Amino acid sequence: MKTQVAIIGGGPSGLLLSQLLNRAGVETVVLERSSREHVLERIRAGVLEWGTVEMLREAGVGDRMDAEGMPHEGCVLSDDDMMVRINFKELTGRSVMVYGQTEVTADLYKAQDAMGTTIVHSVEDVVIHDATTDAPYVEYTLDGTRHRLDCSYVAGCDGFHGVSRKTIPEQKRREFERVYPFGWLGILSRTPPAHHEIVYANSSNGFALVSMRNAQLSRYYVQVPLTDKVEDWSDDRFWERLKSCLPTEVAQSMVTGPSIEKSIAPLRSYVNEPLRWGRLFLVGDATHIVPPTGAKGLNLAVSDVYYLHHALIDAVKKSDETGIDAYSDRALARIWKAMRFSWQMTTMLHRFDGEDSFAEQMRKATLLHLSQSETARRDLAENYIGLPF
Ligand code: FAS
Ligand code: PHB
């Protein structure tokens, strides 16, 4: 088989890249390790930056998002009963869209099917060959048969545990990492959200998050030690901890119910440089991971796709390589700013084991300053709604 761009990974970044390239007349093949059902079972991101919203509309997959998504003009940061609202609309003129990553992925699969693009599911043993030549190719196994896919370029959209990043020799790469000593235990419940906007709650019992997928589907998280397992947490224990972290007025309006999904996600900040090796380009979680405190994971994958799709269209359609030559540095400039914001939100809102009373005072002072300074709130709002591409 031969194509112009081989895309490893059929998650949001691989699918969005395929969608944008095919709309511009660039041929792709997507190779996905899991079944479509498995990809669509994942519950992940919930907040879309405005740049992501515009990209999805440009890609022709914004209709259901616009019909079912919830524009949010602000969010709340709290410290026990002190609540500070960050009014994105007033401070930046922009909002964010609450619309689950699962729905974005489903919309992309539907659009890809309508375009008749090639997506191969349940592939195994993907190997990228000759990435530093002008004739790279990818081998993979499907139903026990080994296949070869010749291509002009390879996009590594295969997430943190994929093969693309590791195709670049370790001595050619630099890695930066911060692993946090806690995780987020998240649940979905068919209950009305306890607050109409997202609440990032800092309390003496640790961090908690109030979010949602729609008016009858709530998404909640609490900070847990890395040693905890999902089976350690009954629904009752979860609801009790969640309420203990939230401002009284939010906790009192909490409607509890059975969890329909429950999982623990570890938190890490990670960047791999560079994002390019010959004709292989890394995208999204394949090359960076952010703690979800800043709601940046999915959105950073989208900005990588923004830069790369323009670069690949120029390279394939006009033999103009300036975009692909600039891709890694351009994407990294934005990645590091989002990395900083996600790290800052995480350190500001979580309790770290063994921290002293000074750290507690710094957290309280940060929130107090936010409550008193429009400049501080504007800085947070600009980062949260998404810095320009
Ligand atoms: P993905 O990991 O989504 O997709 C990679 C795809 O490649 C997968 O479908 C995988 O099956 C496939 N693949 C892997 N190896 C392969 C191989 N060798 N060959 C072929 N295919 C291969 N972000 C937020 O903004 N907010 C959140 O609340 C949030 N919660 C998260 C919770 C969890 C448990 C995780 C893991 C991530 C969370 N994220 C969150 C981040 C997440 O949304 C990612 O940023 C987003 O999925 C990135 O998309 P991709 O880069 O496409 O990577
Ligand atoms: C979510 O709704 O899953 C969500 C919202 C905001 C975050 C992280 C996750 O920062």
Side-chain angles (χ1 to χ4, degrees):
M1 198 161 38
K2 185 160 176 49
T3 191
Q4 289 171 317
V5 180
I7 298 174
I8 319 292
S13 54
L15 293 171
L16 181 57
L17 182 62
S18 176
Q19 181 73 6
L20 289 164
L21 289 178
N22 281 279
R23 283 170 67 92
V26 173
E27 202 187 281
T28 66
V29 170
V30 176
L31 300 176
E32 166 54 49
R33 178 176 63 183
S34 305
S35 68
R36 186 169 296 194
E37 295 67 31
H38 183 81
V39 175
L40 292 174
E41 271 166 9
R42 297 177 191 140
I43 306 296
R44 289 195 177 163
V47 174
L48 306 183
E49 293 176 353
W50 208 251
T52 297
V53 169
E54 291 175 336
M55 278 275 284
L56 293 174
R57 287 172 179 161
E58 180 196 325
V61 292
D63 291 351
R64 192 163 74 98
M65 171 188 68
D66 286 328
E68 299 176 16
M70 297 184 288
H72 275 215
E73 295 192 355
C75 74
V76 171
L77 276 68
S78 67
D79 180 45
D80 292 329
D81 275 339
M82 183 174 87
M83 295 174 72
V84 182
R85 183 166 187 263
I86 309 296
N87 187 333
F88 309 139
K89 196 74 177 172
E90 176 191 273
L91 294 162
T92 69
R94 293 283 179 81
S95 308
V96 296
M97 180 75 81
V98 171
Y99 186 66
Q101 173 176 323
T102 311
E103 309 318 318
V104 172
T105 310
D107 295 342
L108 282 164
Y109 268 121
K110 185 177 177 200
Q112 287 280 283
D113 291 346
M115 288 177 82
T117 60
T118 306
I119 302 175
V120 186
H121 282 282
S122 307
V123 300
E124 297 172 291
D125 306 321
V126 171
V127 178
I128 300 164
H129 296 279
D130 294 350
T132 55
T133 72
D134 59 5
Y137 66 96
V138 180
E139 285 189 318
Y140 63 94
T141 298
L142 181 67
D143 302 331
T145 305
R146 199 74 180 141
H147 295 265
R148 171 174 167 142
L149 173 63
D150 289 287
C151 55
S152 302
Y153 299 98
V154 183
C157 302
D158 48 351
F160 189 68
H161 302 291
V163 296
S164 300
R165 183 176 70 252
K166 296 162 194 157
T167 300
I168 304 176
E170 235 174 295
Q171 65 274 22
K172 297 283 187 187
R173 296 192 288 117
R174 285 193 301 169
E175 296 182 298
F176 307 81
E177 187 168 44
R178 170 80 83 247
V179 178
Y180 300 95
F182 40 73
W184 280 17
L185 167 64
I187 73 158
L188 264 182
S189 66
R190 294 197 195 290
T191 54
H195 196 68
H196 66 287
E197 291 182 325
I198 292 172
V199 179
Y200 292 85
N202 160 50
S203 79
S204 46
N205 292 311
F207 171 84
L209 180 73
V210 172
S211 186
M212 67 285 295
R213 290 293 176 271
N214 58 51
Q216 288 308 318
L217 190 59
S218 297
R219 179 69 168 163
Y220 296 115
Y221 300 89
V222 296
Q223 172 185 348
V224 293
L226 278 177
T227 48
D228 277 16
K229 303 275 178 291
V230 174
E231 47 272 18
D232 299 335
W233 285 84
S234 67
D235 285 3
D236 289 346
R237 184 185 177 199
F238 180 89
W239 292 118
E240 188 185 340
R241 165 64 65 81
L242 177 65
K243 289 180 183 176
S244 73
C245 298
L246 297 176
T248 307
E249 69 173 76
V250 178
Q252 283 173 343
S253 51
M254 176 78 60
V255 176
T256 64
S259 59
I260 58 172
E261 192 271 349
K262 195 185 287 181
S263 54
I264 293 180
L267 271 64
R268 86 173 66 229
S269 296
Y270 172 86
V271 179
N272 163 81
E273 294 185 355
L275 277 55
R276 176 194 188 179
W277 194 54
R279 290 187 169 226
L280 167 62
F281 300 89
L282 303 182
V283 181
D285 277 20
T287 196
H288 47 69
I289 297 285
V290 282
T293 330
K296 292 291 163 230
L298 173 62
N299 295 295
L300 260 188
V302 170
S303 57
D304 294 348
V305 169
Y306 170 81
Y307 298 126
L308 187 58
H309 94 277
H310 282 301
L312 287 173
I313 292 165
D314 288 349
V316 170
K317 307 296 273 187
K318 305 177 204 164
S319 300
D320 171 359
E321 300 202 343
T322 45
I324 57 176
D325 291 343
Y327 167 68
S328 187
D329 288 345
R330 276 190 80 192
L332 281 168
R334 191 174 187 278
I335 288 163
W336 276 114
K337 287 183 278 189
M339 206 53 64
R340 181 204 64 82
F341 176 68
S342 302
W343 165 81
Q344 184 184 50
M345 286 282 279
T346 302
T347 48
M348 173 172 73
L349 291 164
H350 289 77
R351 263 151 185 64
F352 289 67
D353 289 346
E355 69 178 19
D356 58 15
S357 53
F358 182 80
E360 171 72 9
Q361 289 307 110
M362 289 299 99
R363 234 191 316 278
K364 289 187 175 306
T366 302
L367 235 70
L368 182 62
H369 179 56
L370 271 172
S371 71
Q372 296 169 343
S373 163
E374 183 180 298
T375 305
R377 290 195 299 277
R378 179 169 286 109
D379 174 58
L380 192 151
E382 283 175 355
N383 281 281
Y384 194 91
I385 60 113
L387 297 176
F389 289 166

